Amino acid sequence: MTRKLAAGNWKMNGTRAALSELQTLADAHPAPSVDILICPPATLILRAADLLAGTSLRIGAQDCHADASGAHTGDISAPMLADAGATAVILGHSERREDHGETSEMVRAKARAAHAAGLTAIICVGESLAEREARNTLDIIGGQLAASIPDGCTAANTVIAYEPIWAIGTGKVPTTAQIDEVHDFIRARMIRRFGQTEGGAIPLLYGGSVKAGNAAEIFATDNVDGALVGGASLTAADFSPIIAALEGSA
Ligand code: PEP
């Protein structure tokens, strides 16, 4: 059975004062039936992982370098993230693809590094509005999957997040039919590449303007195993009902 995951991406938000939100969230979900992961900015990973040791919450990162160490000023490697207490890393988020010119080939190299360091790679794919309107969504997603995902992915070390770029932080959400079409497509590609046992169980997240008010409907969609949540993961008050909706989605 595919495990379910509620993942929060804090992006470039949060200082030490925000750690109290994590404690509140952990207190509200002492024994959740789904996995809960928060990816704060890198400056908070060590403190957050220490704070949450022994709780149900796990801590992840938002990016890593493809190399394990070396002359890469300002970058952080996957082994460093694991050493700080991260268990997962988001890779290929559209904001990194746009802001930092990350290509799918770079994302694949980072995913290999994440796996080698024992981290779960949460690999993001998604189309722009222009690509959707040109009816190219599945071609774009198929190309991103083929180029961004390394060999050797398993249900334990990989998560795929479908994040239509036009839905991120905009309040616009695809219809459940649109989500269903893309998630079924991703599931078929994962099974074709990694086989039924692993490809059939790699968790598939939807991301893009998920809120308490739309979470249950999204989680009822076939092949949606959870969500990658930006804005609504910043406070326990906003994220907790999304976790509860996922727990209720059996
Ligand atoms: C994201 O950045 O991964 C995201 C889904 O953001 P939001 O939930 O704010 O749309």
Side-chain angles (χ1 to χ4, degrees):
M1 202 175 117
T2 309
R3 67 182 204 282
K4 298 196 172 195
L5 172 63
N9 173 14
W10 279 13
K11 311 189 184 191
M12 198 171 68
N13 296 294
T15 57
R16 282 176 295 165
L19 292 172
S20 63
E21 293 295 334
L22 297 179
Q23 188 65 62
T24 306
L25 199 61
D27 291 345
H29 300 275
S33 59
V34 300
D35 291 344
I36 306 172
L37 176 80
I38 297 285
C39 301
T43 47
L44 294 181
I45 290 174
L46 187 59
R47 281 175 192 270
D50 282 353
L51 177 73
L52 297 173
T55 76
S56 59
L57 266 64
R58 291 181 299 122
I59 291 298
Q62 300 174 18
D63 179 48
C64 71
H65 196 277
D67 292 345
S69 63
H72 301 291
T73 302
D75 280 314
I76 303 175
S77 74
M80 290 170 178
L81 295 173
D83 182 59
T87 61
V89 58
I90 299 169
L91 296 172
H93 191 284
S94 59
E95 287 155 12
R96 292 217 51 97
R97 290 180 189 258
E98 277 178 29
D99 295 356
H100 300 273
E102 285 190 8
T103 63
S104 289
E105 290 68 27
M106 291 160 73
V107 174
R108 185 173 64 216
K110 290 177 179 214
R112 274 201 213 100
H115 289 162
L119 299 175
T120 297
I122 301 175
I123 300 171
C124 303
V125 295
E127 82 286 3
S128 67
L129 190 57
E131 289 163 343
R132 174 161 285 278
E133 286 174 350
R135 300 180 185 278
N136 283 335
T137 298
L138 296 186
D139 279 351
I140 294 294
I141 302 296
Q144 290 176 341
L145 290 173
S148 304
I149 296 179
D151 292 335
C153 288
T154 67
N157 71 13
T158 303
V159 171
I160 308 298
Y162 168 53
E163 298 209 309
I165 298 168
W166 50 273
I168 295 177
T170 60
K172 291 183 192 153
V173 183
T175 64
T176 49
Q178 289 172 323
I179 297 174
D180 186 50
E181 180 189 35
V182 177
H183 277 241
D184 286 355
F185 174 80
I186 297 173
R187 175 64 71 213
R189 287 292 162 106
M190 292 302 98
I191 291 173
R192 192 168 85 181
R193 183 143 172 215
F194 301 110
Q196 183 65 47
T197 305
E198 296 301 332
I202 288 174
L204 307 186
L205 309 185
Y206 166 77
S209 297
V210 175
K211 308 269 182 262
N214 59 22
E217 191 185 3
I218 292 169
F219 295 150
T221 309
D222 251 12
N223 281 314
V224 174
D225 305 308
L228 180 55
V229 183
S233 72
L234 291 173
T235 64
D238 285 339
F239 200 38
S240 198
I242 295 173
I243 295 167
L246 186 59
E247 288 185 299
S249 69

